[in-house]
Amino acid sequence: MNRTSKAGILVGSGMLFVIVWEIRSALGLLVGIDTNPQLYMLLTLAIVGLTAFALAIGLIGVTPETPADEDTS
Amino acid sequence: MSGENTVREIGHDEFDPYGTLALILIYFAILSVMWVFMYFVEFLGNDLTVLA
Amino acid sequence: MNIHNYEKLWLVLAMVMIIGFISTVVYGATAVGIEMVNDEGGTIDSTALEEDDRFAEPRVERVGDNEYEAYVVARQFIFEPDPIEIPANSTLTFYVTSPDVIHGFEVVGTNANAMVIPGEVTELTVELNEPGEYGILCNEYCGGGHHTMEGKLIVQPEDEFEQGGNDE
Amino acid sequence: MSEQLESGAPTFLDDYPKEAAVVKAALWSSFIALALGAVFGVIQALHRTNILRLIDSTDYYTVLTAHGVLMVVSFTIFFLVGLFTWATVRSFDRGVESIRYTWTWYGLMVAGTLMAVVAILGGFVPQTDISADVLFTFYAPMQAHPLFYGGLTIFVIGTWLAGADWFWSWRAWKAENPDERIPLQAFMVLTTMLMWYIATIGIAIAVVVFLLPWSLGIFDQINPLLTRTLFWFWGHPVVYFWLMPAYLLWYTVLPTISGGRLFSDPLARGVFVLFLLLSTPVGIHHQYVDPGIAEGFKVIAMTNTMFLLLPSLLTAFTVVASVEHGARQRGGTGLFGWLRALPWRDPAFTGMMLAGLMFAAGGFSGMINAGMNINYLIHNTIWVPGHFHLTVGTAVALTFMAATYWLWPQLTNRRLFSRPIALAQVVIWFVGMGLMSNAMHVMGLFGVPRRTAEPQYEGFEFVTSFGSITELRLQLAIGGTLLFISTVLFVSNIALSAGAPKLSGLGKPLSEPLSGAHDSPEILDNLKLWFGIAFVLVVLAYSLPLASIISRGGVLGPGVDPVPMIIEPLGATLEPLVASLQPLLGRLAAVVGGVGA
């Protein structure tokens, strides 16, 4: 099964959220497109949520050959 | 010397960090584009240029 | 010394970028003609502004055809004169000083942005083409009422300015 | 009493129990400052965005002063001295020369901090004449209570003595190992401290020669441009003083926890030498729009600043390459696929990587700040705090927190209370800062000022090119709240770890660099040479501007009177000063004596 670890989903979702939301500022400043904030936030959450869900059920993403997680502390 | 999860040892001479190179070239491109945008559009395109 | 080729490549690119940044700034300073606030405004006794020709009475003065000078005092927590009124299509030189603490002088949303330091005179020249109104705010913390320190710059249409009349 | 782990190495606590106690004390001082700073931080985030105003707007500046001083002086520098003590002892593999001396400098730093904090928090108590609402930059002629300047002085003296402690260890080690290269971590500690000794000349002169006697009423005029320039003489290199411990961790700890080895030891040394050389002769770039400084000096500062980008850009490559090495050793493949093979479940690893990612973004806004004329666009707007919340507020702070997750078990022989909470904590910080600093940068471009309780004016409104100021304020407030939650999670996780059972064998040895010290030219280790060059560069960059400022306005100012940020005049100042010093000195004596005994 191609499953991504819970930790990977959490970290990836955090990064994806920030990146997608920052794109709104980039669109506004660079291209001058004024997106609706509520709509854009909903869109961001939807993208992040769907990606996380897809990762969780193994629709997308593959685990590396070795387990990526171990205890280091 | 390496962690428990090492599946292979890679020495200095056999290691080409091409992934790093790719990432850093992307960073370089972003920085260049953003700089040009910030300087020429946001700054020089802004009102009230200070002349003296 | 064992430096990987990719690392050398990045070193070169980083240097190119740094030189590119410096070149852009030099281009702005020379070709576009953007000057930095500098030491040409001179010094002043900040405890005796009322004895100074320029700052005893903060005002806007016409010094040429389309040239004006504004003598501005930034003090806790006001700008004088307020508003600063000027006709469109003119060149305006701000002379700003402070009798108390360090202030900021920012024409909101524009590049006219400088520090005001007691004992020094900040000199800043800008071109004002279109009629309109700008806010002025203090952007350096100057005491408990800092957030109330604001002023206004009004660029009037040329014909209206003559009628509205200034102190002359 | 302790359960033996099967394949564990001894920890720092096992090998150096006395030093581990100092390191722990320093880190706790750091975390207490962080927790307090975070409380003040969230109050500001909610206040200036007009979401929730718990305090009077005048008190906002007391809160802001406390936030600034606690975060960038106490939190960062206490962490630094703890980490550097660990790094020096670990990499020389020898204890400190005198533990009593080590506790002395720590005690001085604590005493200095308490004095400054008492002076600042006095601003909330109208009954006292103690107050220091002068912000972290304490620009004269705004005047704080002498306790504030005195506290800063004692704190800085503490850091000087701390540096001397590490040089002392170096001398002792060198006598026994005359032909060996300085271990990498110790090299980083020593070059950073040399930079600090040069940088603190500025603040020492500003505070000891001018501000402290002036606040005591010994003279009543001051040259504000001079003290301001001296402040920035120190004020820029201090950001590298915050950053260098993070770099030390990225270079020496991050490769190991990613499963790899540092790509290049010589390059790491070269980077620290560059920081020693270039960190100080750049401070005038904070004064690009100041009157009284000729444009030529500003151009010099800009050129130096731009070249100061180089060591950071090199670091980006070397550190990422080291992490890639780890990923590939763990079986990662592909152009980007290796990123998936990294230990993202490890909060220490993830925290440092997210910190590094934010630093890349903060690097960009820093480049804009460094560009001389483009500075008009963003000078003193909220863009600037947006920038440094990415650098010191994330690259440094998040790396420190992440490193604590790795280091703390080795200092206490106890596991972390909860690794999942730790992982969530670093991700929450990342998301919170993403929102907050994004909003700050964007608002800065629209002209919204920094350092103000109520950025809402009567005569005009800010014009936005997209979105609205209301939305950006909300974004800032949500981000700030997430950061506060993240801090609470961090501090409580560490505090609760005290309840975990004692284990042995939690030690984590560090991996050796791929290209080791033997590859780097001997000259890199010639600290006297680099110190000399750095000093000459500072003299070249600063002698003329300072001479010009003094010849224009005089040493004691072109007629500028003090403006005390104090309710009562300074007449009866000395008495409360002495009175407030006594318990502190007593406590210091108790700390030093109690621990030394």
Side-chain angles (χ1 to χ4, degrees):
Chain A
M1 278 300 284
N2 296 334
R3 289 283 172 96
T4 310
S5 69
K6 277 187 208 158
I9 294 172
L10 174 70
V11 176
S13 302
M15 286 199 212
L16 189 64
F17 174 84
V18 170
I19 290 168
V20 175
W21 180 251
E22 305 269 314
I23 288 174
R24 176 178 138 75
S25 299
L27 283 176
L29 290 171
L30 268 78
V31 198
I33 300 173
D34 187 3
T35 46
N36 179 303
Q38 284 94 353
L39 212 63
Y40 198 97
M41 182 49 92
L42 282 178
L43 184 80
T44 309
L45 292 174
I47 291 175
V48 174
L50 285 175
T51 312
F53 180 70
L55 284 168
I57 61 167
L59 263 181
I60 50 171
V62 280
T63 41
E65 294 115 71
T66 47
D69 311 302
E70 98 271 30
D71 210 67
T72 48
S73 77
Chain B
M1 201 63 248
S2 302
E4 317 83 81
N5 285 58
T6 304
V7 296
R8 57 180 180 231
E9 287 277 350
I10 304 173
H12 189 274
D13 296 331
E14 44 183 331
F15 175 52
D16 280 329
Y18 59 93
T20 302
L21 186 69
L23 286 177
I24 211 122
L25 288 178
I26 294 171
Y27 184 50
F28 180 82
I30 293 174
L31 285 181
S32 307
V33 170
M34 291 286 284
W35 173 268
V36 169
F37 169 75
M38 284 294 295
Y39 199 92
F40 292 95
V41 181
E42 285 288 325
F43 173 54
L44 291 184
N46 199 8
D47 249 354
L48 298 198
T49 299
V50 180
L51 292 173
Chain C
M1 197 99 162
N2 204 341
I3 295 185
H4 195 279
N5 277 340
Y6 291 173
E7 216 157 6
K8 285 181 192 153
L9 173 66
W10 175 240
L11 182 66
V12 171
L13 281 177
M15 287 300 280
V16 166
M17 187 159 67
I18 288 169
I19 290 164
F21 290 161
I22 296 176
S23 313
T24 325
V25 172
V26 170
Y27 163 83
T30 53
V32 186
I34 302 160
E35 245 189 71
M36 299 311 295
V37 174
N38 56 28
D39 57 348
E40 282 163 23
T43 56
I44 190 167
D45 183 347
S46 67
T47 53
L49 291 190
E50 62 281 1
E51 290 157 28
D52 187 274
D53 309 340
R54 296 177 296 176
F55 296 103
E57 214 183 291
R59 65 195 181 277
V60 177
E61 211 166 74
R62 185 174 176 186
V63 290
D65 263 356
N66 296 310
E67 287 176 37
Y68 294 81
E69 293 184 341
Y71 304 110
V72 181
V73 174
R75 67 169 81 232
Q76 288 175 330
F77 300 102
I78 50 165
F79 291 102
E80 300 167 306
D82 183 29
I84 296 169
E85 290 179 276
I86 210 83
N89 293 313
S90 56
T91 306
L92 172 63
T93 302
F94 294 104
Y95 294 89
V96 196
T97 194
S98 157
D100 40 49
V101 298
I102 295 182
H103 295 280
F105 181 81
E106 174 187 329
V107 182
V108 180
T110 77
N111 294 337
N113 183 353
M115 301 303 300
V116 184
I117 299 178
E120 298 282 345
V121 177
T122 303
E123 186 187 332
L124 192 74
T125 301
V126 296
E127 269 182 355
L128 295 160
N129 299 321
E130 300 299 314
E133 281 190 21
Y134 298 93
I136 295 175
L137 61 78
C138 170
N139 62 15
E140 184 55 82
Y141 167 65
C142 58
H146 166 57
H147 46 274
T148 63
M149 186 163 168
E150 62 173 294
K152 214 169 210 186
L153 169 65
I154 302 175
V155 186
Q156 294 181 337
E158 279 167 276
D159 43 342
E160 283 177 35
F161 187 77
E162 303 300 340
Q163 291 150 19
N166 56 9
D167 300 351
E168 290 168 312
Chain D
M1 86 186 173
S2 63
E3 170 195 336
Q4 179 69 42
L5 286 185
E6 299 257 322
S7 60
T11 60
F12 188 77
L13 177 64
D14 299 331
D15 292 339
Y16 301 103
K18 285 181 188 165
E19 286 79 2
V22 184
V23 176
K24 257 190 296 184
L27 295 195
W28 264 122
S29 311
S30 165
F31 302 152
I32 292 167
L34 174 70
L36 282 171
V39 172
F40 293 127
V42 74
I43 292 174
Q44 283 170 75
L46 298 175
H47 189 98
R48 69 167 284 151
T49 53
N50 201 9
I51 306 283
L52 175 67
R53 290 191 168 157
L54 295 170
I55 51 166
D56 196 67
S57 280
T58 339
D59 288 335
Y60 178 89
Y61 304 103
T62 312
V63 171
L64 180 51
T65 309
H67 176 72
V69 171
L70 284 168
M71 287 304 205
V72 302
V73 177
S74 310
F75 162 58
T76 50
I77 299 181
F78 271 116
F79 194 94
L80 177 145
V81 295
L83 186 79
F84 277 15
T85 302
W86 166 77
T88 311
V89 169
R90 195 206 73 84
S91 65
F92 285 139
D93 200 11
R94 64 181 294 132
V96 296
E97 301 310 306
S98 156
I99 197 73
R100 186 181 277 262
Y101 174 80
T102 304
W103 280 110
T104 307
W105 59 249
Y106 169 72
L108 280 177
M109 288 175 66
V110 172
T113 303
L114 289 176
M115 283 166 68
V117 168
V118 164
I120 295 165
L121 297 185
F124 289 123
V125 189
Q127 289 80 7
T128 71
D129 67 345
I130 296 180
S131 154
D133 300 342
V134 291
L135 306 195
F136 160 64
T137 46
F138 52 88
Y139 295 136
M142 279 197 291
Q143 195 177 57
H145 192 275
L147 201 55
F148 177 77
Y149 303 115
L152 279 181
T153 309
I154 291 176
F155 182 85
V156 170
I157 291 173
T159 63
W160 287 347
L161 297 180
D165 201 358
W166 306 320
F167 274 94
W168 191 4
S169 288
W170 175 47
R171 273 188 57 148
W173 172 86
K174 207 175 161 192
E176 292 168 18
N177 305 272
D179 300 320
E180 274 193 56
R181 300 302 296 265
I182 306 174
L184 183 58
Q185 285 189 326
F187 181 85
M188 292 170 162
V189 168
L190 299 179
T191 42
T192 303
M193 291 316 293
L194 289 179
M195 183 271 280
W196 183 243
Y197 285 122
I198 295 178
T200 42
I201 296 170
I203 191 102
I205 296 176
V207 172
V208 178
V209 177
F210 295 110
L211 299 174
L212 185 58
W214 170 69
S215 71
L216 291 168
I218 294 171
F219 46 80
D220 59 4
Q221 291 208 334
I222 207 143
N223 182 339
L225 182 59
L226 178 60
T227 46
R228 177 179 161 86
T229 306
L230 288 169
F231 176 85
W232 285 116
F233 179 108
W234 167 83
H236 195 74
V238 75
V239 311
Y240 291 98
F241 199 55
W242 306 328
L243 205 52
M244 288 305 99
Y247 273 43
L248 182 146
L249 291 162
W250 294 348
Y251 273 112
T252 64
V253 175
L254 183 57
T256 305
I257 57 181
S258 67
R261 295 159 64 183
L262 174 61
F263 193 46
S264 167
D265 168 293
L267 215 87
R269 284 176 204 254
V271 161
F272 273 74
V273 166
L274 281 174
F275 278 120
L276 164 59
L277 297 183
L278 289 174
S279 291
T280 315
V282 298
I284 288 178
H285 76 234
H286 290 258
Q287 300 175 278
Y288 280 147
V289 298
D290 275 20
I293 299 178
E295 185 160 356
F297 300 139
K298 295 176 178 174
V299 173
I300 294 170
M302 175 193 68
T303 316
N304 290 346
T305 310
M306 288 296 185
F307 281 103
L308 187 49
L309 291 173
L310 191 64
S312 286
L313 292 169
L314 290 177
T315 298
F317 187 96
T318 311
V319 171
V320 177
S322 311
V323 171
E324 182 183 352
H325 180 255
R328 300 212 183 270
Q329 291 207 132
R330 298 164 66 96
T333 50
L335 188 59
F336 299 116
W338 56 274
L339 287 165
R340 311 167 51 83
L342 290 165
W344 295 107
R345 183 182 284 177
D346 180 355
F349 174 80
T350 300
M352 285 196 211
M353 289 299 277
L354 293 176
L357 186 58
M358 285 253 158
F359 191 52
F364 174 71
S365 50
M367 289 165 191
I368 299 297
N369 298 345
M372 186 175 69
N373 35 36
I374 196 173
N375 197 253
Y376 278 128
L377 180 64
I378 44 83
H379 179 81
N380 267 358
T381 66
I382 196 172
W383 164 287
V384 178
H387 161 73
F388 65 66
H389 278 84
L390 289 180
T391 52
V392 65
T394 303
V396 174
L398 190 52
T399 298
F400 286 1
M401 291 188 270
T404 305
Y405 292 139
W406 178 82
L407 187 60
W408 201 251
Q410 305 179 52
L411 295 173
T412 55
N413 282 354
R414 295 175 204 273
R415 281 214 166 130
L416 206 57
F417 172 71
S418 163
R419 282 164 58 85
I421 291 178
L423 186 69
Q425 184 263 323
V426 298
V427 174
I428 292 172
W429 189 279
F430 180 81
V431 171
M433 196 58 88
L435 291 172
M436 189 172 91
S437 89
N438 177 51
M440 286 173 150
H441 278 102
V442 173
M443 280 197 274
L445 290 178
F446 301 148
V448 178
R450 66 188 287 197
R451 303 184 142 178
T452 179
E454 297 178 15
Q456 54 213 31
Y457 293 84
E458 285 173 7
F460 61 92
E461 277 179 5
F462 295 103
V463 182
T464 57
S465 72
F466 77 97
S468 65
I469 289 288
T470 318
E471 172 217 325
L472 289 164
R473 281 188 184 140
L474 188 63
Q475 202 186 128
L476 194 164
I478 294 172
T481 310
L482 289 177
L483 290 168
F484 176 71
I485 293 169
S486 181
T487 313
V488 171
L489 290 178
F490 169 74
V491 177
S492 42
N493 206 346
I494 297 299
L496 289 170
S497 302
K502 277 224 170 205
L503 298 169
S504 66
L506 288 174
K508 295 280 169 187
L510 296 175
S511 59
E512 288 300 314
L514 279 170
S515 163
H518 55 275
D519 275 339
S520 61
E522 289 277 347
I523 192 164
L524 281 175
D525 285 12
N526 189 340
L527 297 180
K528 270 185 203 151
L529 173 73
W530 302 122
F531 183 76
I533 298 177
F535 194 80
V536 170
L537 285 177
V538 172
V539 170
L540 287 177
Y542 266 104
S543 52
L544 289 176
L546 286 174
S548 151
I549 289 166
I550 291 171
S551 73
R552 289 165 63 84
V555 174
L556 293 181
V560 179
D561 289 335
V563 180
M565 296 287 116
I566 297 178
I567 296 150
E568 297 290 321
L570 279 166
T573 293
L574 272 174
E575 242 173 272
L577 173 68
V578 173
S580 49
L581 267 177
Q582 269 164 349
L584 288 171
L585 290 175
R587 185 175 305 184
L588 174 66
V591 167
V592 174
V595 171

